[in-house]
């Protein structure tokens, strides 16, 4: 039991036979690597699991706790089921298909990593904060490459981020000088799990190496012309830090397409929502209505125009995504009953022939 606690086990997750518990530490296509805190196993999904899975959300993700059958002599395991998640970071999968993708599971904290160079994107940070709140974890904004900036430049960026990351901790660090690392470790307590999320080239893999004290993850620089990064991490993997905290590294995401988040948009945009509540009319459209507090705040500079437009854009995107998901669910339900009807007709015809 002590070994499980060292890799983040929480007794409130589920009452299950402890010898059958393992945690997913790597996912590569259809291959999984799990650990029980004592030994690592190469794992595959049981036939029953595959037959019962109906959605990408049903499959194991890095950070998941799973019920397994261990083949200790071969260091292999069979995954029978995924235990209930306490948190899950979900995004709309890349491409045109309406499908959810779990980036990480059962994390306590999400480190939203950005670099302090001209690739900083406040709108992207807003998206990550929204998705982190929706996941059930707590966001922390991490600004890397502090050694490449002057103190005034760092302070200027910190102020910009504070204005949109209301109530979210912000830590500026340098992997070169280790400045800010001790402050970051306050969010990496023993037996806690954090996930690193952000674009390519912002320093996630370098940070993993810094925290582990050894070069485990491959790293590459960024293009000097535009500070854009190149993909170095190709899969999701969870590492155990020297203090028994768990850290999930993920490939860089060029964009974060939202899957859900309507319930937490107020937490992400507390300032905008507060102005809306001060409007004279409850059904104010924030256009030409008299007594509109939003328009007043925009005109006098209390509310930044770009932030307000981002708020509206994310609302539209969430509404559109919800419509797509509902249409997909309706189509799947229709196809399901088509198959049932077809099977019933075939069974009926078979009985008549007999």
């Amino acid at each position: 039991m002590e070994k499980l606690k060292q890799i983040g086990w929480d007794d409130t997750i589920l009452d299950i036979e402890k010898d059958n518990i393992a945690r997913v530490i790597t996912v590569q296509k259809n291959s999984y690597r799990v650990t029980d805190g004592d030994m690592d196993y190469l794992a595959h999904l049981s036939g029953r699991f595959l037959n019962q899975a109906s959605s990408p959300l049903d499959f194991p993700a890095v950070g998941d706790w799973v019920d397994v059958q261990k083949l200790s002599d071969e260091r292999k395991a069979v995954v029978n089921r995924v235990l209930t998640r306490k948190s899950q970071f979900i995004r709309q999968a890349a491409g045109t298909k309406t499908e959810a993708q779990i980036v990480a599971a059962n994390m306590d904290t999400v480190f939203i990593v950005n670099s302090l160079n001209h690739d900083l994107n406040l709108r992207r940070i807003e998206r990550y904060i929204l998705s982190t709140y929706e996941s059930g974890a707590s966001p922390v904004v991490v600004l890397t490459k502090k050694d490449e900036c002057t103190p005034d430049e760092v302070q200027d960026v910190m102020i910009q981020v504070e204005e949109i990351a209301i109530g979210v901790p912000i830590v500026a660090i340098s992997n070169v000088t280790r400045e800010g690392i001790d402050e970051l470790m306050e969010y990496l307590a023993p037996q806690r799990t954090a996930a690193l999320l952000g674009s390519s080239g912002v320093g996630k893999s370098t940070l993993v190496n810094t925290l582990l004290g050894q070069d485990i993850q491959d790293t590459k620089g960024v293009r000097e012309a535009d500070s854009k990064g190149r993909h170095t991490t190709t899969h999701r993997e969870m590492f155990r830090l020297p203090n028994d905290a768990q850290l999930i590294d993920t490939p860089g995401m060029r964009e974060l397409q939202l899957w859900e988040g309507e319930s937490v948009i107020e937490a992400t945009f507390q300032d905008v929502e507060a102005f809306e509540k001060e409007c004279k009319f409850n059904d104010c459209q924030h256009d030409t209505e008299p007594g509109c507090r939003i328009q007043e705040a925009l005109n006098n500079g209390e509310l930044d125009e770009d932030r307000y437009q981002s708020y509206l854009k994310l609302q539209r995107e969430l509404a559109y995504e919800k419509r797509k998901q509902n249409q997909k669910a309706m189509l799947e339900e229709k196809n399901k009953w088509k198959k049932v009807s077809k099977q019933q007709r075939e069974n009926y015809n078979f009985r008549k022939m007999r």
Side-chain angles (χ1 to χ4, degrees), residues 134-164:
E134 183 65 35
S135 77
S138 299
V140 175
V141 176
V142 180
L143 302 173
T144 61
K145 307 183 182 181
K146 189 176 182 180
D147 54 286
E148 298 180 11
C149 304
T150 66
D152 286 344
E153 289 172 334
V154 173
Q155 183 63 23
D156 180 57
V157 172
M158 292 281 282
I159 291 172
Q160 293 181 57
V161 176
E162 284 171 357
E163 289 177 349
I164 60 101

Side-chain angles (χ1 to χ4, degrees), residues 167-231:
V168 176
I170 305 167
V171 183
I173 68 165
S174 166
N175 286 305
V176 176
T177 66
R178 293 188 61 86
E179 188 176 358
I181 296 298
D182 288 343
E183 184 182 353
L184 187 66
M185 286 302 298
E186 293 177 11
Y187 303 97
L188 280 168
Q191 300 169 26
R192 304 284 282 179
T193 302
L196 293 172
L197 298 177
S199 303
S200 300
V202 296
K204 298 191 303 296
S205 295
T206 303
L207 180 56
V208 171
N209 291 339
T210 299
L211 295 174
L212 285 171
Q214 53 184 316
D215 291 339
I216 297 294
Q217 294 290 74
D218 289 336
T219 60
K220 291 180 182 178
V222 297
R223 299 195 299 260
E224 292 184 7
D226 57 7
S227 297
K228 297 293 184 181
R230 292 167 288 178
H231 290 291

Side-chain angles (χ1 to χ4, degrees), residues 9-264:
W9 175 256
D10 179 351
D11 281 320
T12 63
I13 296 174
L14 193 67
D15 184 17
I16 184 177
E17 178 58 48
K18 302 301 185 290
D19 290 340
N20 297 336
I21 297 171
R23 196 169 192 191
V24 179
I25 54 179
T26 305
V27 176
Q28 289 180 289
K29 294 185 179 180
N30 298 321
S31 173
Y32 301 88
R33 192 154 55 90
V34 304
T35 184
D36 59 9
D38 188 40
M39 183 183 294
D40 292 0
Y41 302 83
L42 184 64
H44 68 272
L45 305 177
S46 69
R48 183 178 180 182
F49 186 109
L50 291 170
N51 287 332
Q52 293 180 343
S54 59
S55 160
L57 299 180
D58 295 333
F59 287 83
V62 173
D64 265 329
W65 294 100
V66 288
D67 176 8
V68 299
Q69 178 185 351
K70 300 175 185 175
L71 308 172
S72 300
D73 292 342
E74 302 177 40
R75 301 195 70 158
K76 292 182 179 180
V78 179
V79 177
N80 294 315
R81 64 185 172 119
V82 176
L83 305 188
T84 303
R85 298 173 177 126
K86 69 176 181 181
S87 62
Q88 54 183 13
F89 192 101
I90 303 175
R91 70 164 182 167
Q92 157 68 30
T96 57
K97 191 175 182 180
T98 303
E99 191 171 86
Q101 181 184 64
I102 298 184
V103 179
N106 294 314
M107 61 281 168
D108 303 286
T109 305
V110 169
F111 290 141
I112 302 167
V113 187
N114 277 255
S115 57
L116 281 159
N117 57 23
H118 55 264
D119 189 39
L120 181 78
N121 188 316
L122 298 178
R123 307 287 78 87
R124 185 190 300 144
I125 293 175
E126 288 171 341
R127 283 175 172 268
Y128 277 101
I129 291 174
L130 179 66
S131 292
T132 300
Y133 280 136
E134 183 65 35
S135 77
S138 299
V140 175
V141 176
V142 180
L143 302 173
T144 61
K145 307 183 182 181
K146 189 176 182 180
D147 54 286
E148 298 180 11
C149 304
T150 66
D152 286 344
E153 289 172 334
V154 173
Q155 183 63 23
D156 180 57
V157 172
M158 292 281 282
I159 291 172
Q160 293 181 57
V161 176
E162 284 171 357
E163 289 177 349
I164 60 101
I166 301 171
V168 176
I170 305 167
V171 183
I173 68 165
S174 166
N175 286 305
V176 176
T177 66
R178 293 188 61 86
E179 188 176 358
I181 296 298
D182 288 343
E183 184 182 353
L184 187 66
M185 286 302 298
E186 293 177 11
Y187 303 97
L188 280 168
Q191 300 169 26
R192 304 284 282 179
T193 302
L196 293 172
L197 298 177
S199 303
S200 300
V202 296
K204 298 191 303 296
S205 295
T206 303
L207 180 56
V208 171
N209 291 339
T210 299
L211 295 174
L212 285 171
Q214 53 184 316
D215 291 339
I216 297 294
Q217 294 290 74
D218 289 336
T219 60
K220 291 180 182 178
V222 297
R223 299 195 299 260
E224 292 184 7
D226 57 7
S227 297
K228 297 293 184 181
R230 292 167 288 178
H231 290 291
T232 51
T233 302
T234 58
H235 62 277
R236 301 173 184 87
E237 185 167 359
M238 187 172 74
F239 298 93
R240 185 171 167 183
L241 301 184
N243 72 335
D244 282 340
Q246 315 300 313
L247 186 63
I248 299 173
D249 191 16
T250 64
M253 290 186 277
R254 298 195 186 281
E255 62 176 339
L256 174 62
Q257 295 186 45
L258 302 179
W259 179 254
E260 50 191 12
E262 288 179 307
S263 63
V264 295

